[in-house]
Amino acid sequence: MQVWGLTDPGCVRKQNQDAYQIEQLDKNSVLCVVCDGMGGAKSGNIASTLAIDVFVQEIRRNWRSNLTQEKIDAMLTNAVKLANFTVFDQAQQFMEFDGMGTTLVAALVLSHEVYVINVGDSRCYILSEGRLTQITSDHSLVQALVDCGDITPEEARTHPKKNVITRALGVDNNIRSDV
């Protein structure tokens, strides 16, 4: 298996608020995590780095190669909850971090299985037979509008509120993630 990562601030922002980490958990297991600090929000780069650090440490602490699907789902969910709590707590304690948050998407790649967890609008895709398929659903205002039929996916691409996310780590004490 080959795994690599790359991040770029893009053409709009001066500061890159993205963070990623690739962790080889054992010879057949790799964890890949991407966080995108809330663009323009205070300390998004801090939120994304902190979330990755806590999430990866929690997975490493609980990782066993013989975990069941239910245990893996619980491990991923708990790691997101701990990362959320940590970012939220820092934002509450320090005025300069007030309002910081981040998205998170992670893939735990095993020999013949992949477990994915996400919060926010950072996406996970699978590339198979030359075709790229999105496997996560955005937690965003425009995705909610698409889901209820108010706008089309084409309209979502240019919607004036396309950057409004409905879930992010660090903005609330509670967090819901999709596994």
Side-chain angles (χ1 to χ4, degrees):
M1 176 185 334
Q2 295 179 352
V3 182
W4 63 93
L6 176 69
T7 183
D8 186 279
C11 300
V12 177
R13 291 186 172 70
K14 293 179 182 176
Q15 182 186 54
N16 191 351
Q17 295 190 342
D18 299 345
Y20 74 91
Q21 191 163 337
I22 299 167
E23 281 288 312
Q24 187 84 38
L25 298 173
D26 59 40
K27 72 177 191 159
N28 296 316
S29 308
V30 175
L31 178 66
C32 305
V33 190
V34 174
C35 287
D36 180 3
M38 288 169 32
K42 227 188 275 189
S43 304
N45 60 322
I46 303 295
S48 61
T49 301
L50 184 57
I52 289 232
D53 290 346
V54 171
F55 181 85
V56 171
Q57 282 179 355
E58 186 66 4
I59 297 297
R60 275 211 162 280
R61 190 175 71 76
N62 290 289
W63 175 246
R64 308 289 176 275
S65 60
N66 61 346
L67 293 174
T68 64
Q69 178 180 343
E70 292 78 22
K71 296 278 187 186
I72 291 173
D73 290 354
M75 176 183 66
L76 291 168
T77 301
N78 289 332
V80 163
K81 286 179 181 178
L82 185 58
N84 178 69
F85 173 78
T86 305
V87 174
F88 181 77
D89 185 57
Q90 290 294 299
Q92 299 301 304
Q93 286 190 43
F94 302 101
M95 196 166 68
E96 65 270 21
F97 296 156
D98 183 42
M100 73 177 177
T102 185
T103 65
L104 180 143
V105 62
L108 175 58
V109 183
L110 310 179
S111 296
H112 300 324
E113 297 174 303
V114 177
Y115 294 84
V116 175
I117 190 164
N118 76 301
V119 176
D121 63 352
S122 293
R123 297 175 174 174
C124 184
Y125 295 86
I126 287 187
L127 177 62
S128 177
E129 298 178 7
R131 184 172 174 176
L132 198 59
T133 304
Q134 182 179 338
I135 61 168
T136 55
S137 181
D138 290 355
H139 303 132
S140 66
L141 175 63
V142 293
Q143 186 62 53
L145 293 172
V146 169
D147 291 347
C148 69
D150 288 348
I151 64 173
T152 67
E154 294 74 30
E155 291 171 320
R157 286 190 206 42
T158 58
H159 195 279
K161 296 196 176 187
K162 68 180 179 181
N163 295 327
V164 176
I165 59 176
T166 56
R167 292 189 215 170
L169 272 74
V171 297
D172 194 348
N173 195 29
N174 298 310
I175 191 74
R176 286 184 311 127
S177 55
D178 295 341
V179 179

